[in-house]
């Protein structure tokens, strides 16, 4: 059966790479992002790669009031939603966010609150459908607060906790909630940080791993998988040592 895929934040590097795998399976897409030009390019690319149909919707996701009609539009277009991937996000400059609350607030609003607002609408839909997959990109940054990025990490940590609860709520309805936790991935978001090295993955590698996690319905997917071990170490580092290290 042809899969129907709703992608929020569809112009994100990782979302685009994930979608390429669904396009090969001739999926039907409803793509949402704020930049209509970028959306047009993603649409063309997915159609070239085999997608059966691609509908786009340009929306600034800071406007929560549009969410219910957005999901209705996606449903009208797709008929049903098999898979949702939520990928939008912002990475604030930690030092600036410490000084200007407005920046911290935007991070919490986009990385945390907007995703909750969307997921609650989608959860209601999925409960009625009694099937489907809701995959959301959180981050390893949410696993333990660190001085270098705790404002971003707080939003992603809150998001991870929220998704854990949603996973349990939707399990009896046969709906898979997939919590995706990437480590360092090369993308426009991290362009200013990229130093290369073994801890960095390409968006292509991340997209393939996200696709596999969605297909398998994994509750939690570290991207790449070796981050599970790294974060186990980070989470279990004793406080006495943790306060002396900076990373
Ligand atoms: N890259 C990493 O190392 C890394 C690690 C862990 C988690 N993540 C998470 O992975 C997800 C995807 O990020 P990425 O690495 O693929 O970076 P990216 O290519 O920069 O994607 C971020 C996306 O979010 C969209 N966005 C931000 N604010 C928005 C708004 N108000 N309305 C609509 N769209 C908005 C951006 O749209 P525009 O193109 O219009 O700006 C962009 O498409 C994010 O949730 C990020 O937090 C990334």
């Amino acid at each position: 059966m042809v899969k129907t895929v709703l992608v929020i934040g569809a112009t994100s590097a990782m979302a685009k790479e994930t979608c390429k795998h669904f396009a090969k399976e001739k999926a039907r897409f409803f793509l949402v992002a704020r930049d209509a030009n970028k959306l047009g390019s993603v649409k063309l690319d997915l159609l070239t790669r085999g997608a059966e149909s691609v509908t786009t919707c340009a929306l600034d996701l800071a406007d929560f009031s549009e969410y219910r009609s957005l999901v209705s539009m996606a449903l009208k277009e797709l008929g049903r939603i098999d898979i949702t991937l939520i990928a939008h996000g912002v990475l604030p400059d930690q030092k600036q966010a410490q000084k200007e609350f407005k920046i911290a607030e935007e991070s919490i609003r986009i990385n945390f609150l907007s995703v909750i607002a969307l997921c609650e609408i989608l959860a209601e839909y999925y409960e009625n459908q009694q099937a489907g997959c809701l995959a959301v990109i959180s981050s390893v940054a949410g696993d333990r607060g660190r001085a270098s990025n705790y404002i971003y990490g707080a939003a992603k940590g809150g998001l991870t906790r929220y998704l854990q609860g949603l996973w349990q709520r939707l399990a009896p309805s046969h709906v898979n909630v997939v919590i995706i936790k990437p480590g360092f991935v090369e993308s426009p978001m991290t362009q200013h940080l990229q130093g290369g090295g073994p801890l960095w993955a390409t968006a292509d590698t991340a997209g393939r791993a996200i696709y596999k996690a969605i297909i398998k319905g994994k509750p939690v997917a570290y991207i790449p998988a070796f981050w599970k071990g790294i974060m186990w170490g980070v989470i279990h580092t004793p406080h006495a040592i943790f306060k002396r290290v900076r990373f």
Side-chain angles (χ1 to χ4, degrees):
M1 201 171 77
V2 171
K3 289 190 184 81
T4 53
V5 187
L6 167 63
V7 188
I8 314 280
T11 54
S12 114
M14 279 192 256
K16 285 192 288 188
E17 293 300 329
T18 307
C19 287
K20 287 178 186 175
H21 296 277
F22 288 112
K24 272 191 223 155
E25 299 176 356
K26 307 194 184 312
R28 294 173 56 227
F29 292 93
F30 190 93
L31 307 179
V32 184
R34 65 180 157 187
D35 186 317
N37 289 332
K38 286 191 205 168
L39 263 176
S41 314
V42 179
K43 174 178 178 170
L44 202 64
D45 182 59
L46 294 179
L47 286 171
T48 311
R49 289 170 191 275
E52 189 178 292
S53 67
V54 181
T55 306
T56 59
C57 174
L59 177 69
D60 186 336
L61 292 162
D63 186 0
F64 298 6
S65 66
E66 294 294 324
Y67 287 1
R68 203 164 275 280
S69 56
L70 179 75
V71 174
S72 299
M73 251 195 294
L75 265 171
K76 201 170 161 204
E77 201 57 47
L78 297 174
R80 56 181 275 129
I81 302 170
D82 296 319
I83 295 159
T84 301
L85 173 62
I86 300 182
H88 66 283
V90 288
L91 177 62
D93 180 272
Q94 171 67 28
K95 289 261 154 60
Q96 276 182 358
Q98 286 169 204
K99 288 194 197 110
E100 279 181 64
F101 181 68
K102 218 171 56 178
I103 296 171
E105 192 180 19
E106 195 214 3
S107 171
I108 303 288
R109 196 169 160 73
I110 297 299
N111 292 321
F112 183 47
L113 296 178
S114 82
V115 184
I116 293 181
L118 276 164
C119 283
E120 285 302 318
I121 296 167
L122 288 161
E124 212 176 282
Y125 163 71
Y126 275 125
E127 270 179 334
N128 287 328
Q129 184 169 270
Q130 291 284 299
C133 175
L134 176 53
V136 182
I137 308 187
S138 183
S139 172
V140 296
D143 279 6
R144 186 169 187 178
R146 290 180 293 117
S148 63
N149 72 349
Y150 64 84
I151 287 177
Y152 173 73
K156 291 295 194 180
L159 178 59
T160 296
R161 284 289 174 273
Y162 167 81
L163 293 169
Q164 287 168 344
L166 192 64
W167 175 87
Q168 200 181 32
R169 169 182 158 191
L170 294 180
S173 304
H174 319 287
V175 177
N176 290 322
V177 173
V178 178
I179 308 172
I180 298 157
K181 295 186 186 179
F184 300 133
V185 178
E186 293 167 6
S187 76
M189 180 180 279
T190 53
Q191 217 161 22
H192 59 298
L193 302 171
Q194 286 162 27
L199 291 183
W200 282 87
T202 61
D204 170 29
T205 303
R208 197 174 313 117
I210 292 169
Y211 166 76
K212 283 187 184 161
I214 292 173
I215 292 301
K216 289 182 183 161
K218 278 182 139 188
V220 181
Y222 282 89
I223 308 285
F226 61 73
W227 278 97
K228 187 176 179 182
I230 295 176
M231 293 320 294
W232 188 92
V234 171
I235 290 164
H236 292 93
T237 301
H239 285 99
I241 298 173
F242 206 68
K243 71 178 175 192
R244 281 192 226 113
V245 293
R246 282 288 174 271
F247 59 88

